[in-house]
Amino acid sequence: MKVLVAVKRVVDYNVKVRVKSDQSGVDVANVKMSMNPFDEIAMEEAVRLKEKGVATEVIAVSCGVTQCQETLRTAMAIGADRAILVETAQELQPLAVAKLLKAVFDKEQPGLVVLGKQAIDDDCNQTGQMLAALADLPQATFASKVEAADGKLSVTREVDGGMETLSISMPAVITADLRLNEPRYVTLPNIMKAKKKQLDVLKPEDLGVDISSGIKTLKVTEPPKRSAGIKVPDVATLVAKLKNEAKVI
């Protein structure tokens, strides 16, 4: 069984994000980029399925600029067998990414698609669900545990009231939550081996996908700075301020 894992290149989670002066977006010039942490968890889970003998091949796929090849090399250093880059300089919205992944899914015919539940740059949490809808596949989102048995997957997912366990048939789409696993440390020998692994570069036109978007970013702003706290002499003053100034009671 093939496992297709989608990975995204994002601003590293340790970097303090800065907004461009013209408020058109986030400044990524000379900023450290890395694999989206949730996608790293998804990749780790796919590699573990291969180590258990459930999967035979793990394919990493990314959509975006040429530099996404670095992210795919990292994915192959974790354990992916080969990689596919759908290269485009155009800004991609979740629906466009889902359409591209659907085209790659049709081309590769994997038994399972694993994605991070969301990307830490846009926090949309949409691509996995859109892909499942476009490809008409069963889905299990926010997975915190995945087990394979009898040709099916048992997926434990986190819900507001606790935990929910689903049994889904394959092919299927799974999105990884934070507690699914802890990704392994990438060693130097594996990084060197990843440089020799196959990486195919495609264009959206090659897949026959229209990536134009009906969404336009109007403005990006930083959150307002928090004002300093104040001391009050007694409880009555505190209650008055909460009622009259903060208007929370």
Side-chain angles (χ1 to χ4, degrees), residues 234-241:
D234 50 45
V235 174
T237 307
L238 173 63
V239 172
K241 284 186 177 293

Side-chain angles (χ1 to χ4, degrees), residues 12-240:
D12 190 87
Y13 68 93
N14 288 312
V15 174
K16 180 174 173 55
V17 176
R18 298 188 303 274
V19 175
K20 291 180 180 178
S21 57
D22 61 359
Q23 296 185 330
S24 62
V26 172
D27 186 6
V28 295
N30 301 315
V31 171
K32 182 183 178 185
M33 309 292 283
S34 61
M35 186 189 300
N36 178 46
F38 290 104
D39 296 341
E40 195 173 358
I41 293 168
M43 177 57 64
E44 173 67 25
E45 191 63 25
V47 173
R48 291 187 184 188
L49 288 173
K50 183 184 176 184
E51 290 172 346
K52 292 175 183 176
V54 177
T56 55
E57 185 181 26
V58 176
I59 307 164
V61 59
S62 188
C63 306
V65 295
T66 306
Q67 291 86 339
C68 290
Q69 291 189 26
E70 300 169 10
T71 307
L72 290 171
R73 293 293 178 194
T74 302
M76 289 189 284
I78 294 173
D81 298 291
R82 57 188 174 93
I84 299 170
L85 171 62
V86 183
E87 187 178 7
T88 175
Q90 187 173 330
E91 183 181 353
L92 296 172
Q93 296 294 335
L95 180 57
V97 176
K99 288 179 179 178
L100 292 171
L101 293 177
K102 163 67 164 55
V104 175
F105 173 86
D106 291 341
K107 184 173 181 287
E108 295 290 339
Q109 292 294 306
L112 179 65
V113 184
V114 191
L115 311 87
K117 70 170 184 177
Q118 65 193 70
I120 62 171
D121 53 359
D122 56 22
D123 280 329
C124 282
N125 179 24
Q126 295 174 337
T127 306
Q129 293 89 325
M130 287 177 170
L131 172 60
L134 290 171
D136 194 24
L137 297 173
Q139 61 174 306
T141 56
F142 304 95
S144 60
K145 186 177 181 181
V146 176
E147 295 178 328
D150 302 325
K152 291 191 175 183
L153 292 174
S154 174
V155 181
T156 303
R157 57 190 303 270
E158 299 182 3
V159 295
D160 289 342
M163 311 298 284
E164 177 184 63
T165 302
L166 303 175
S167 176
I168 59 175
S169 56
M170 293 183 283
V173 175
I174 291 176
T175 66
D177 208 340
L178 188 65
R179 280 164 286 280
L180 180 57
N181 60 54
E182 185 175 340
R184 67 194 65 190
Y185 178 76
V186 180
T187 62
L188 182 59
N190 286 337
I191 293 173
M192 300 306 292
K193 289 177 184 176
K195 292 181 179 180
K196 298 179 181 179
K197 291 184 179 180
Q198 179 183 345
L199 196 160
D200 299 321
V201 180
L202 304 173
K203 300 286 186 182
E205 308 84 69
D206 300 333
L207 299 171
V209 177
D210 178 16
I211 59 173
S212 59
S213 173
I215 298 175
K216 180 182 178 182
T217 301
L218 300 179
K219 185 169 66 172
V220 178
T221 59
E222 292 186 6
K225 289 183 170 56
R226 295 180 62 181
S227 56
I230 60 171
K231 291 183 179 181
V232 293
D234 50 45
V235 174
T237 307
L238 173 63
V239 172

